[in-house]
């Protein structure tokens, strides 16, 4: 059984979440708490496997509590946040502080039924998360390390595609902060709700030499730019002559996700072929595994994060099992390998 504690100042939210999670045979809500002070005592007493944490609460806000928890008793935490611009910023900051995933509150974007199904899967993934391995926790993480030089400044015919899920915000930060300002165009899928992806892009843009922004339909993929798929929209790479650009589409969930890494990688295989490089990072499930194989079969270079440095070794594991990963590396060595591949191409 996965033991869960729910921390939220709303009695209704605590009740709804408890009811929905009780439907899963492998999840046991062992306690709820209206604020971090009550939560602290129950966490120490009950030692849950996963904590669901609201951001805005009386007496102590969720972010402050999370930082204390990560310092004294690291435990997998899922942020359950309101879908607002402020909620998105807090959620991204919380994930940088140690939370492994983020979820919208009931009614903010999803129906209760859809929300509970997704939340149950996130809890199962979080219970397997290696919190101690999520080493990128500070705003400066990666930024103080030297960026890696590219031998040529013009990279218009090369595209780097990155896919991630649970624990991916920190992993993506580790990679992007090591990229030089003239890096090839980068396209990214990170499983996150709407508005949260915009907050993630804004945060990364403050830390990176490349420009990072949430993708818009028909945006060009240019050197020195990283485009992050907007929450709830698939991201596809397209080519028109010498120009690479992206399309954002709705459509059905793929591998249980929208945006889906699978959709991105398969479009990159078709549009860029041998001019692409695919990177699959930490995350639950198998999203992106067969897409990465399609990239490798189209002569793209491919990299998977290794088990030891993953928060959840799901997506990379599936890709490796398929033979999709040309190289398997710890997160700290992936940025250097990306640039090595780019330099070899040129």
């Amino acid at each position: 059984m996965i033991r869960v504690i729910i921390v939220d100042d709303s009695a209704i939210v605590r009740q709804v979440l408890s009811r929905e999670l009780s439907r899963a045979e492998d999840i046991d809500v062992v306690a709820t708490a209206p604020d971090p002070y009550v939560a602290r005592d129950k966490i120490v007493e009950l030692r849950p496997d996963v904590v669901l944490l609201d951001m805005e609460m009386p007496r102590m806000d969720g972010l402050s509590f999370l930082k204390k928890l990560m310092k004294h008793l690291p435990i997998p935490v899922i942020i359950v946040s309101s879908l607002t611009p402020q909620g998105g910023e807090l959620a991204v900051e919380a994930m940088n502080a140690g939370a492994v995933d983020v979820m919208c509150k009931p009614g903010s974007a999803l129906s209760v039924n859809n929300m509970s199904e997704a939340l149950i899967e996130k809890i199962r993934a979080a219970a397997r998360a290696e919190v101690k391995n999520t080493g990128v926790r500070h705003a400066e993480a990666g930024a103080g390390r030297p960026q890696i030089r590219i031998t040529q400044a013009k990279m218009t015919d090369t595209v780097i595609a990155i896919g991630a899920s649970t624990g991916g915000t920190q992993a993506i930060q580790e990679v992007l902060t090591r990229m030089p300002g003239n890096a090839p165009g980068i396209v990214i899928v990170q499983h996150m709700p709407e508005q949260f992806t915009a907050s993630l892009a804004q945060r990364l843009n403050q830390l990176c030499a490349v420009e990072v922004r949430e993708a818009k339909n028909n945006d060009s993929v240019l050197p020195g730019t990283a485009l992050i798929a907007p929450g709830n929209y698939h991201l596809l790479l397209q080519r028109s002559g010498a120009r690479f650009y992206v399309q954002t589409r709705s459509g059905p969930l793929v591998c249980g996700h929208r945006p889906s890494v699978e959709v991105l990688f398969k479009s990159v295989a078709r549009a860029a072929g041998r001019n692409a490089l695919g990177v699959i990072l930490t995350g639950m499930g198998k999203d992106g595994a067969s897409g990465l194989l399609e990239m490798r079969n189209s002569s793209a270079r491919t990299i998977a994060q290794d088990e030891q440095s993953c928060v959840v070794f799901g997506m990379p594991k599936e890709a490796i099992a398929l033979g999709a990963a040309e190289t398997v590396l710890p997160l700290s060595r992936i940025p250097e390998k990306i640039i090595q591949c780019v330099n070899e191409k040129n």
Side-chain angles (χ1 to χ4, degrees), residues 233-254:
Y233 287 88
H234 292 304
L235 186 71
L236 294 88
L237 183 73
Q238 305 286 356
R239 185 167 194 166
S240 177
R243 173 182 174 248
F244 287 112
Y245 66 99
V246 295
Q247 289 186 328
T248 56
R249 295 182 185 170
S250 185
L253 302 179
V254 176

Side-chain angles (χ1 to χ4, degrees), residues 23-249:
R23 298 179 182 177
E25 294 181 355
D26 57 339
I27 294 175
D28 180 18
V29 178
V30 294
T32 66
D35 64 55
Y37 289 95
V38 175
R40 176 193 59 195
D41 295 339
K42 292 188 176 183
I43 289 170
V44 169
E45 176 190 355
L46 299 171
R47 298 298 173 114
D49 301 301
V50 179
V51 173
L52 305 186
L53 181 63
D54 185 22
M55 283 284 91
E56 299 179 21
M57 290 179 290
R59 302 177 70 191
M60 181 189 295
D61 64 271
L63 183 60
S64 297
F65 178 61
L66 174 67
K67 290 177 179 178
K68 291 178 183 295
L69 192 61
M70 289 299 106
K71 181 178 179 181
H72 299 290
L73 187 63
I75 190 171
V77 173
I78 298 173
I79 301 303
V80 183
S81 178
S82 300
L83 187 59
T84 64
Q86 183 182 10
E89 291 170 12
L90 287 171
V92 169
E93 193 172 350
M95 293 179 77
N96 192 66
V100 297
D101 216 329
V102 62
M103 188 74 200
C104 296
K105 279 193 172 183
S108 58
L110 302 170
S111 70
V112 170
N113 286 341
N114 289 339
M115 177 278 302
S116 60
E117 195 173 311
L119 182 56
I120 286 168
E121 289 305 311
K122 287 180 183 291
I123 289 171
R124 288 170 177 158
R128 300 192 300 271
E130 294 290 337
V131 175
K132 65 179 183 297
N133 285 338
T134 56
V136 185
R137 290 306 186 204
H138 306 290
E140 300 79 14
R145 299 164 63 182
Q147 291 166 358
I148 308 158
R149 195 169 68 88
I150 290 181
T151 55
Q152 294 189 12
K154 193 171 183 180
M155 295 288 160
T156 54
D157 63 342
T158 305
V159 176
I160 299 167
I162 300 173
S165 185
T166 313
T169 57
Q170 297 89 1
I172 289 169
Q173 180 177 313
E174 173 73 2
V175 172
L176 291 189
T177 52
R178 301 288 308 283
M179 294 292 104
N182 68 335
I186 303 169
V187 287
I188 300 167
V189 164
Q190 163 69 47
H191 297 155
M192 290 183 84
E194 287 181 271
Q195 295 193 28
F196 293 5
T197 46
S199 298
L200 175 63
Q202 291 166 8
R203 175 182 176 76
L204 290 172
N205 190 52
Q206 296 170 353
L207 302 174
C208 299
V210 296
E211 178 187 359
V212 186
R213 64 177 187 266
E214 189 179 57
K216 293 184 174 59
N217 200 42
N218 294 322
D219 272 351
S220 294
V221 179
L222 300 170
T225 302
L227 302 176
I228 297 179
N232 206 35
Y233 287 88
H234 292 304
L235 186 71
L236 294 88
L237 183 73
Q238 305 286 356
R239 185 167 194 166
S240 177
R243 173 182 174 248
F244 287 112
Y245 66 99
V246 295
Q247 289 186 328
T248 56
R249 295 182 185 170

